[in-house]
PDB file of all heavy atoms in Angstrom:
ATOM      1  N   VAL R   1     286.081  -5.625  86.810  1.00  0.00           N
ATOM      2  CA  VAL R   1     285.479  -4.643  85.915  1.00  0.00           C
ATOM      3  C   VAL R   1     284.907  -3.501  86.747  1.00  0.00           C
ATOM      4  O   VAL R   1     284.224  -3.725  87.738  1.00  0.00           O
ATOM      5  CB  VAL R   1     284.358  -5.292  85.064  1.00  0.00           C
ATOM      6  CG1 VAL R   1     283.706  -4.279  84.149  1.00  0.00           C
ATOM      7  CG2 VAL R   1     284.904  -6.475  84.282  1.00  0.00           C
ATOM      8  N   THR R   2     285.208  -2.281  86.327  1.00  0.00           N
ATOM      9  CA  THR R   2     284.700  -1.096  87.004  1.00  0.00           C
ATOM     10  C   THR R   2     283.833  -0.318  86.026  1.00  0.00           C
ATOM     11  O   THR R   2     284.212  -0.150  84.864  1.00  0.00           O
ATOM     12  CB  THR R   2     285.855  -0.207  87.492  1.00  0.00           C
ATOM     13  OG1 THR R   2     286.723  -0.989  88.316  1.00  0.00           O
ATOM     14  CG2 THR R   2     285.339   0.976  88.303  1.00  0.00           C
ATOM     15  N   VAL R   3     282.682   0.171  86.494  1.00  0.00           N
ATOM     16  CA  VAL R   3     281.756   0.908  85.637  1.00  0.00           C
ATOM     17  C   VAL R   3     281.500   2.282  86.259  1.00  0.00           C
ATOM     18  O   VAL R   3     281.198   2.384  87.445  1.00  0.00           O
ATOM     19  CB  VAL R   3     280.422   0.141  85.478  1.00  0.00           C
ATOM     20  CG1 VAL R   3     279.459   0.923  84.593  1.00  0.00           C
ATOM     21  CG2 VAL R   3     280.668  -1.259  84.933  1.00  0.00           C
ATOM     22  N   TYR R   4     281.630   3.329  85.444  1.00  0.00           N
ATOM     23  CA  TYR R   4     281.402   4.704  85.864  1.00  0.00           C
ATOM     24  C   TYR R   4     280.333   5.348  84.986  1.00  0.00           C
ATOM     25  O   TYR R   4     280.298   5.090  83.785  1.00  0.00           O
ATOM     26  CB  TYR R   4     282.662   5.560  85.676  1.00  0.00           C
ATOM     27  CG  TYR R   4     283.873   5.095  86.405  1.00  0.00           C
ATOM     28  CD1 TYR R   4     284.839   4.323  85.762  1.00  0.00           C
ATOM     29  CD2 TYR R   4     284.088   5.450  87.727  1.00  0.00           C
ATOM     30  CE1 TYR R   4     285.974   3.911  86.417  1.00  0.00           C
ATOM     31  CE2 TYR R   4     285.224   5.044  88.389  1.00  0.00           C
ATOM     32  CZ  TYR R   4     286.173   4.278  87.731  1.00  0.00           C
ATOM     33  OH  TYR R   4     287.298   3.868  88.380  1.00  0.00           O
ATOM     34  N   PRO R   5     279.527   6.237  85.552  1.00  0.00           N
ATOM     35  CA  PRO R   5     278.619   7.010  84.699  1.00  0.00           C
ATOM     36  C   PRO R   5     279.409   8.109  83.977  1.00  0.00           C
ATOM     37  O   PRO R   5     280.370   8.643  84.523  1.00  0.00           O
ATOM     38  CB  PRO R   5     277.624   7.618  85.689  1.00  0.00           C
ATOM     39  CG  PRO R   5     278.359   7.667  86.993  1.00  0.00           C
ATOM     40  CD  PRO R   5     279.340   6.533  86.971  1.00  0.00           C
ATOM     41  N   VAL R   6     279.020   8.399  82.743  1.00  0.00           N
ATOM     42  CA  VAL R   6     279.591   9.519  82.004  1.00  0.00           C
ATOM     43  C   VAL R   6     278.448  10.332  81.414  1.00  0.00           C
ATOM     44  O   VAL R   6     277.297   9.903  81.440  1.00  0.00           O
ATOM     45  CB  VAL R   6     280.570   9.059  80.893  1.00  0.00           C
ATOM     46  CG1 VAL R   6     281.794   8.407  81.481  1.00  0.00           C
ATOM     47  CG2 VAL R   6     279.909   8.145  79.899  1.00  0.00           C
ATOM     48  N   LYS R   7     278.760  11.478  80.876  1.00  0.00           N
ATOM     49  CA  LYS R   7     277.742  12.377  80.357  1.00  0.00           C
ATOM     50  C   LYS R   7     276.842  11.683  79.334  1.00  0.00           C
ATOM     51  O   LYS R   7     277.303  10.944  78.486  1.00  0.00           O
ATOM     52  CB  LYS R   7     278.417  13.583  79.709  1.00  0.00           C
ATOM     53  CG  LYS R   7     277.464  14.671  79.313  1.00  0.00           C
ATOM     54  CD  LYS R   7     278.220  15.865  78.780  1.00  0.00           C
ATOM     55  CE  LYS R   7     277.257  16.968  78.414  1.00  0.00           C
ATOM     56  NZ  LYS R   7     277.954  18.140  77.907  1.00  0.00           N
ATOM     57  N   GLY R   8     275.579  11.944  79.421  1.00  0.00           N
ATOM     58  CA  GLY R   8     274.621  11.339  78.511  1.00  0.00           C
ATOM     59  C   GLY R   8     274.166   9.990  79.042  1.00  0.00           C
ATOM     60  O   GLY R   8     274.241   9.712  80.228  1.00  0.00           O
ATOM     61  N   LYS R   9     273.710   9.154  78.164  1.00  0.00           N
ATOM     62  CA  LYS R   9     273.215   7.832  78.552  1.00  0.00           C
ATOM     63  C   LYS R   9     274.296   6.779  78.334  1.00  0.00           C
ATOM     64  O   LYS R   9     274.045   5.709  77.807  1.00  0.00           O
ATOM     65  CB  LYS R   9     271.972   7.485  77.751  1.00  0.00           C
ATOM     66  CG  LYS R   9     270.810   8.389  78.061  1.00  0.00           C
ATOM     67  CD  LYS R   9     269.592   7.965  77.303  1.00  0.00           C
ATOM     68  CE  LYS R   9     268.425   8.858  77.685  1.00  0.00           C
ATOM     69  NZ  LYS R   9     267.208   8.480  77.016  1.00  0.00           N
ATOM     70  N   MET R  10     275.526   7.147  78.724  1.00  0.00           N
ATOM     71  CA  MET R  10     276.653   6.249  78.513  1.00  0.00           C
ATOM     72  C   MET R  10     277.248   5.828  79.851  1.00  0.00           C
ATOM     73  O   MET R  10     277.026   6.457  80.869  1.00  0.00           O
ATOM     74  CB  MET R  10     277.750   6.942  77.698  1.00  0.00           C
ATOM     75  CG  MET R  10     277.292   7.502  76.367  1.00  0.00           C
ATOM     76  SD  MET R  10     277.023   6.225  75.145  1.00  0.00           S
ATOM     77  CE  MET R  10     278.686   5.922  74.657  1.00  0.00           C
ATOM     78  N   LYS R  11     278.013   4.743  79.801  1.00  0.00           N
ATOM     79  CA  LYS R  11     278.784   4.274  80.943  1.00  0.00           C
ATOM     80  C   LYS R  11     280.204   4.027  80.468  1.00  0.00           C
ATOM     81  O   LYS R  11     280.438   3.615  79.331  1.00  0.00           O
ATOM     82  CB  LYS R  11     278.231   2.955  81.501  1.00  0.00           C
ATOM     83  CG  LYS R  11     276.835   3.058  82.072  1.00  0.00           C
ATOM     84  CD  LYS R  11     276.864   3.713  83.419  1.00  0.00           C
ATOM     85  CE  LYS R  11     275.470   3.678  84.032  1.00  0.00           C
ATOM     86  NZ  LYS R  11     275.422   4.243  85.341  1.00  0.00           N
ATOM     87  N   LYS R  12     281.160   4.291  81.349  1.00  0.00           N
ATOM     88  CA  LYS R  12     282.550   3.986  81.071  1.00  0.00           C
ATOM     89  C   LYS R  12     282.878   2.681  81.791  1.00  0.00           C
ATOM     90  O   LYS R  12     282.666   2.566  82.999  1.00  0.00           O
ATOM     91  CB  LYS R  12     283.467   5.101  81.552  1.00  0.00           C
ATOM     92  CG  LYS R  12     284.925   4.834  81.290  1.00  0.00           C
ATOM     93  CD  LYS R  12     285.746   6.011  81.784  1.00  0.00           C
ATOM     94  CE  LYS R  12     287.214   5.776  81.555  1.00  0.00           C
ATOM     95  NZ  LYS R  12     288.003   6.904  82.082  1.00  0.00           N
ATOM     96  N   VAL R  13     283.394   1.714  81.065  1.00  0.00           N
ATOM     97  CA  VAL R  13     283.744   0.417  81.619  1.00  0.00           C
ATOM     98  C   VAL R  13     285.255   0.280  81.541  1.00  0.00           C
ATOM     99  O   VAL R  13     285.851   0.538  80.488  1.00  0.00           O
ATOM    100  CB  VAL R  13     283.068  -0.730  80.833  1.00  0.00           C
ATOM    101  CG1 VAL R  13     283.464  -2.078  81.396  1.00  0.00           C
ATOM    102  CG2 VAL R  13     281.549  -0.556  80.844  1.00  0.00           C
ATOM    103  N   GLU R  14     285.881  -0.108  82.659  1.00  0.00           N
ATOM    104  CA  GLU R  14     287.327  -0.312  82.693  1.00  0.00           C
ATOM    105  C   GLU R  14     287.629  -1.744  83.108  1.00  0.00           C
ATOM    106  O   GLU R  14     287.016  -2.266  84.044  1.00  0.00           O
ATOM    107  CB  GLU R  14     287.987   0.630  83.700  1.00  0.00           C
ATOM    108  CG  GLU R  14     287.898   2.081  83.337  1.00  0.00           C
ATOM    109  CD  GLU R  14     288.615   2.979  84.342  1.00  0.00           C
ATOM    110  OE1 GLU R  14     289.104   2.475  85.375  1.00  0.00           O
ATOM    111  OE2 GLU R  14     288.675   4.190  84.095  1.00  0.00           O
ATOM    112  N   VAL R  15     288.587  -2.347  82.435  1.00  0.00           N
ATOM    113  CA  VAL R  15     289.015  -3.708  82.740  1.00  0.00           C
ATOM    114  C   VAL R  15     290.538  -3.726  82.734  1.00  0.00           C
ATOM    115  O   VAL R  15     291.156  -3.234  81.783  1.00  0.00           O
ATOM    116  CB  VAL R  15     288.514  -4.721  81.681  1.00  0.00           C
ATOM    117  CG1 VAL R  15     288.966  -6.128  82.023  1.00  0.00           C
ATOM    118  CG2 VAL R  15     287.012  -4.652  81.526  1.00  0.00           C
ATOM    119  N   VAL R  16     291.134  -4.279  83.788  1.00  0.00           N
ATOM    120  CA  VAL R  16     292.569  -4.530  83.790  1.00  0.00           C
ATOM    121  C   VAL R  16     292.754  -6.004  83.466  1.00  0.00           C
ATOM    122  O   VAL R  16     292.192  -6.869  84.124  1.00  0.00           O
ATOM    123  CB  VAL R  16     293.209  -4.183  85.155  1.00  0.00           C
ATOM    124  CG1 VAL R  16     294.670  -4.577  85.179  1.00  0.00           C
ATOM    125  CG2 VAL R  16     293.046  -2.696  85.447  1.00  0.00           C
ATOM    126  N   ALA R  17     293.519  -6.283  82.412  1.00  0.00           N
ATOM    127  CA  ALA R  17     293.667  -7.650  81.926  1.00  0.00           C
ATOM    128  C   ALA R  17     295.130  -7.959  81.657  1.00  0.00           C
ATOM    129  O   ALA R  17     295.930  -7.057  81.363  1.00  0.00           O
ATOM    130  CB  ALA R  17     292.857  -7.834  80.643  1.00  0.00           C
ATOM    131  N   LEU R  18     295.458  -9.232  81.731  1.00  0.00           N
ATOM    132  CA  LEU R  18     296.777  -9.680  81.309  1.00  0.00           C
ATOM    133  C   LEU R  18     296.920  -9.431  79.822  1.00  0.00           C
ATOM    134  O   LEU R  18     295.928  -9.354  79.087  1.00  0.00           O
ATOM    135  CB  LEU R  18     296.948 -11.170  81.610  1.00  0.00           C
ATOM    136  CG  LEU R  18     296.793 -11.578  83.075  1.00  0.00           C
ATOM    137  CD1 LEU R  18     296.885 -13.091  83.198  1.00  0.00           C
ATOM    138  CD2 LEU R  18     297.841 -10.903  83.940  1.00  0.00           C
ATOM    139  N   ASP R  19     298.151  -9.305  79.356  1.00  0.00           N
ATOM    140  CA  ASP R  19     298.381  -9.042  77.936  1.00  0.00           C
ATOM    141  C   ASP R  19     297.687 -10.074  77.047  1.00  0.00           C
ATOM    142  O   ASP R  19     297.113  -9.713  76.018  1.00  0.00           O
ATOM    143  CB  ASP R  19     299.885  -9.031  77.630  1.00  0.00           C
ATOM    144  CG  ASP R  19     300.587  -7.818  78.226  1.00  0.00           C
ATOM    145  OD1 ASP R  19     299.915  -6.794  78.461  1.00  0.00           O
ATOM    146  OD2 ASP R  19     301.805  -7.894  78.440  1.00  0.00           O
ATOM    147  N   ILE R  20     297.712 -11.331  77.450  1.00  0.00           N
ATOM    148  CA  ILE R  20     297.105 -12.377  76.630  1.00  0.00           C
ATOM    149  C   ILE R  20     295.581 -12.312  76.625  1.00  0.00           C
ATOM    150  O   ILE R  20     294.946 -12.898  75.748  1.00  0.00           O
ATOM    151  CB  ILE R  20     297.577 -13.784  77.053  1.00  0.00           C
ATOM    152  CG1 ILE R  20     297.192 -14.064  78.499  1.00  0.00           C
ATOM    153  CG2 ILE R  20     299.060 -13.948  76.847  1.00  0.00           C
ATOM    154  CD1 ILE R  20     297.463 -15.492  78.936  1.00  0.00           C
ATOM    155  N   GLU R  21     294.986 -11.615  77.580  1.00  0.00           N
ATOM    156  CA  GLU R  21     293.527 -11.477  77.647  1.00  0.00           C
ATOM    157  C   GLU R  21     293.009 -10.217  76.956  1.00  0.00           C
ATOM    158  O   GLU R  21     291.828 -10.113  76.663  1.00  0.00           O
ATOM    159  CB  GLU R  21     293.065 -11.419  79.110  1.00  0.00           C
ATOM    160  CG  GLU R  21     293.374 -12.637  79.922  1.00  0.00           C
ATOM    161  CD  GLU R  21     293.065 -12.432  81.393  1.00  0.00           C
ATOM    162  OE1 GLU R  21     293.247 -11.310  81.916  1.00  0.00           O
ATOM    163  OE2 GLU R  21     292.637 -13.409  82.022  1.00  0.00           O
ATOM    164  N   ALA R  22     293.891  -9.250  76.709  1.00  0.00           N
ATOM    165  CA  ALA R  22     293.460  -7.933  76.224  1.00  0.00           C
ATOM    166  C   ALA R  22     292.703  -8.017  74.902  1.00  0.00           C
ATOM    167  O   ALA R  22     291.655  -7.384  74.746  1.00  0.00           O
ATOM    168  CB  ALA R  22     294.651  -6.991  76.104  1.00  0.00           C
ATOM    169  N   ASN R  23     293.218  -8.776  73.954  1.00  0.00           N
ATOM    170  CA  ASN R  23     292.520  -8.892  72.663  1.00  0.00           C
ATOM    171  C   ASN R  23     291.157  -9.540  72.828  1.00  0.00           C
ATOM    172  O   ASN R  23     290.201  -9.176  72.143  1.00  0.00           O
ATOM    173  CB  ASN R  23     293.362  -9.677  71.659  1.00  0.00           C
ATOM    174  CG  ASN R  23     294.508  -8.853  71.122  1.00  0.00           C
ATOM    175  OD1 ASN R  23     294.469  -7.632  71.120  1.00  0.00           O
ATOM    176  ND2 ASN R  23     295.545  -9.531  70.673  1.00  0.00           N
ATOM    177  N   TYR R  24     291.045 -10.508  73.732  1.00  0.00           N
ATOM    178  CA  TYR R  24     289.758 -11.145  73.980  1.00  0.00           C
ATOM    179  C   TYR R  24     288.763 -10.133  74.551  1.00  0.00           C
ATOM    180  O   TYR R  24     287.606 -10.095  74.138  1.00  0.00           O
ATOM    181  CB  TYR R  24     289.900 -12.328  74.937  1.00  0.00           C
ATOM    182  CG  TYR R  24     288.561 -12.886  75.301  1.00  0.00           C
ATOM    183  CD1 TYR R  24     287.859 -13.685  74.411  1.00  0.00           C
ATOM    184  CD2 TYR R  24     287.949 -12.548  76.510  1.00  0.00           C
ATOM    185  CE1 TYR R  24     286.595 -14.158  74.710  1.00  0.00           C
ATOM    186  CE2 TYR R  24     286.695 -13.026  76.824  1.00  0.00           C
ATOM    187  CZ  TYR R  24     286.027 -13.821  75.918  1.00  0.00           C
ATOM    188  OH  TYR R  24     284.775 -14.271  76.227  1.00  0.00           O
ATOM    189  N   VAL R  25     289.221  -9.303  75.502  1.00  0.00           N
ATOM    190  CA  VAL R  25     288.342  -8.296  76.099  1.00  0.00           C
ATOM    191  C   VAL R  25     287.860  -7.323  75.026  1.00  0.00           C
ATOM    192  O   VAL R  25     286.666  -7.027  74.939  1.00  0.00           O
ATOM    193  CB  VAL R  25     289.045  -7.559  77.254  1.00  0.00           C
ATOM    194  CG1 VAL R  25     288.207  -6.384  77.741  1.00  0.00           C
ATOM    195  CG2 VAL R  25     289.348  -8.517  78.406  1.00  0.00           C
ATOM    196  N   VAL R  26     288.767  -6.833  74.198  1.00  0.00           N
ATOM    197  CA  VAL R  26     288.385  -5.905  73.123  1.00  0.00           C
ATOM    198  C   VAL R  26     287.402  -6.579  72.172  1.00  0.00           C
ATOM    199  O   VAL R  26     286.389  -5.994  71.782  1.00  0.00           O
ATOM    200  CB  VAL R  26     289.630  -5.393  72.373  1.00  0.00           C
ATOM    201  CG1 VAL R  26     289.232  -4.631  71.112  1.00  0.00           C
ATOM    202  CG2 VAL R  26     290.475  -4.511  73.281  1.00  0.00           C
ATOM    203  N   GLY R  27     287.670  -7.828  71.808  1.00  0.00           N
ATOM    204  CA  GLY R  27     286.765  -8.563  70.926  1.00  0.00           C
ATOM    205  C   GLY R  27     285.390  -8.735  71.526  1.00  0.00           C
ATOM    206  O   GLY R  27     284.377  -8.620  70.823  1.00  0.00           O
ATOM    207  N   THR R  28     285.339  -9.000  72.815  1.00  0.00           N
ATOM    208  CA  THR R  28     284.053  -9.158  73.497  1.00  0.00           C
ATOM    209  C   THR R  28     283.282  -7.844  73.503  1.00  0.00           C
ATOM    210  O   THR R  28     282.075  -7.818  73.261  1.00  0.00           O
ATOM    211  CB  THR R  28     284.264  -9.672  74.934  1.00  0.00           C
ATOM    212  OG1 THR R  28     284.958 -10.919  74.880  1.00  0.00           O
ATOM    213  CG2 THR R  28     282.944  -9.851  75.657  1.00  0.00           C
ATOM    214  N   ILE R  29     283.968  -6.749  73.757  1.00  0.00           N
ATOM    215  CA  ILE R  29     283.320  -5.436  73.733  1.00  0.00           C
ATOM    216  C   ILE R  29     282.737  -5.174  72.343  1.00  0.00           C
ATOM    217  O   ILE R  29     281.582  -4.757  72.204  1.00  0.00           O
ATOM    218  CB  ILE R  29     284.307  -4.321  74.129  1.00  0.00           C
ATOM    219  CG1 ILE R  29     284.719  -4.465  75.589  1.00  0.00           C
ATOM    220  CG2 ILE R  29     283.682  -2.936  73.873  1.00  0.00           C
ATOM    221  CD1 ILE R  29     285.903  -3.614  75.981  1.00  0.00           C
ATOM    222  N   LEU R  30     283.519  -5.431  71.315  1.00  0.00           N
ATOM    223  CA  LEU R  30     283.041  -5.218  69.943  1.00  0.00           C
ATOM    224  C   LEU R  30     281.853  -6.112  69.624  1.00  0.00           C
ATOM    225  O   LEU R  30     280.884  -5.670  68.995  1.00  0.00           O
ATOM    226  CB  LEU R  30     284.174  -5.466  68.948  1.00  0.00           C
ATOM    227  CG  LEU R  30     285.287  -4.427  68.942  1.00  0.00           C
ATOM    228  CD1 LEU R  30     286.448  -4.898  68.087  1.00  0.00           C
ATOM    229  CD2 LEU R  30     284.770  -3.079  68.478  1.00  0.00           C
ATOM    230  N   GLU R  31     281.915  -7.349  70.066  1.00  0.00           N
ATOM    231  CA  GLU R  31     280.824  -8.296  69.796  1.00  0.00           C
ATOM    232  C   GLU R  31     279.522  -7.849  70.451  1.00  0.00           C
ATOM    233  O   GLU R  31     278.453  -7.918  69.853  1.00  0.00           O
ATOM    234  CB  GLU R  31     281.220  -9.670  70.313  1.00  0.00           C
ATOM    235  CG  GLU R  31     280.221 -10.758  70.001  1.00  0.00           C
ATOM    236  CD  GLU R  31     280.705 -12.103  70.513  1.00  0.00           C
ATOM    237  OE1 GLU R  31     281.848 -12.462  70.223  1.00  0.00           O
ATOM    238  OE2 GLU R  31     279.921 -12.772  71.202  1.00  0.00           O
ATOM    239  N   VAL R  32     279.610  -7.387  71.685  1.00  0.00           N
ATOM    240  CA  VAL R  32     278.407  -6.994  72.429  1.00  0.00           C
ATOM    241  C   VAL R  32     277.842  -5.675  71.922  1.00  0.00           C
ATOM    242  O   VAL R  32     276.632  -5.492  71.893  1.00  0.00           O
ATOM    243  CB  VAL R  32     278.718  -6.904  73.948  1.00  0.00           C
ATOM    244  CG1 VAL R  32     277.583  -6.256  74.711  1.00  0.00           C
ATOM    245  CG2 VAL R  32     279.018  -8.289  74.505  1.00  0.00           C
ATOM    246  N   THR R  33     278.700  -4.768  71.488  1.00  0.00           N
ATOM    247  CA  THR R  33     278.243  -3.408  71.171  1.00  0.00           C
ATOM    248  C   THR R  33     278.183  -3.088  69.680  1.00  0.00           C
ATOM    249  O   THR R  33     277.796  -1.981  69.325  1.00  0.00           O
ATOM    250  CB  THR R  33     279.147  -2.363  71.849  1.00  0.00           C
ATOM    251  OG1 THR R  33     280.473  -2.489  71.331  1.00  0.00           O
ATOM    252  CG2 THR R  33     279.168  -2.537  73.351  1.00  0.00           C
ATOM    253  N   HIS R  34     278.528  -3.995  68.807  1.00  0.00           N
ATOM    254  CA  HIS R  34     278.642  -3.672  67.383  1.00  0.00           C
ATOM    255  C   HIS R  34     277.333  -3.277  66.717  1.00  0.00           C
ATOM    256  O   HIS R  34     277.346  -2.670  65.667  1.00  0.00           O
ATOM    257  CB  HIS R  34     279.254  -4.852  66.619  1.00  0.00           C
ATOM    258  CG  HIS R  34     278.288  -5.950  66.332  1.00  0.00           C
ATOM    259  ND1 HIS R  34     277.926  -6.868  67.278  1.00  0.00           N
ATOM    260  CD2 HIS R  34     277.595  -6.255  65.205  1.00  0.00           C
ATOM    261  CE1 HIS R  34     277.050  -7.706  66.746  1.00  0.00           C
ATOM    262  NE2 HIS R  34     276.833  -7.371  65.499  1.00  0.00           N
ATOM    263  N   ARG R  35     276.221  -3.585  67.320  1.00  0.00           N
ATOM    264  CA  ARG R  35     274.924  -3.307  66.694  1.00  0.00           C
ATOM    265  C   ARG R  35     274.581  -1.820  66.665  1.00  0.00           C
ATOM    266  O   ARG R  35     273.800  -1.378  65.856  1.00  0.00           O
ATOM    267  CB  ARG R  35     273.826  -4.089  67.410  1.00  0.00           C
ATOM    268  CG  ARG R  35     273.957  -5.590  67.194  1.00  0.00           C
ATOM    269  CD  ARG R  35     272.977  -6.357  68.020  1.00  0.00           C
ATOM    270  NE  ARG R  35     273.276  -6.389  69.427  1.00  0.00           N
ATOM    271  CZ  ARG R  35     274.221  -7.143  70.001  1.00  0.00           C
ATOM    272  NH1 ARG R  35     274.996  -7.906  69.276  1.00  0.00           N
ATOM    273  NH2 ARG R  35     274.413  -7.122  71.304  1.00  0.00           N
TER     274      ARG R  35
END
């Protein structure tokens, strides 16, 4: 996982994943940030 600062109080997170892991990564992002 790579994290970069972006404009404002945000961070850009990048993940390289196998095809079978991609949906899990997206789901995890949604779960953590949905609030």
Side-chain angles (χ1 to χ4, degrees):
V1 179
T2 305
V3 180
Y4 302 97
V6 294
K7 188 176 181 180
K9 295 183 178 182
M10 305 286 281
K11 296 284 186 178
K12 180 179 179 182
V13 179
E14 294 182 355
V15 180
V16 174
L18 301 176
D19 290 336
I20 61 173
E21 298 172 325
N23 285 336
Y24 174 77
V25 172
V26 170
T28 302
I29 293 167
L30 290 171
E31 184 178 310
V32 169
T33 63
H34 79 281
R35 292 174 288 284

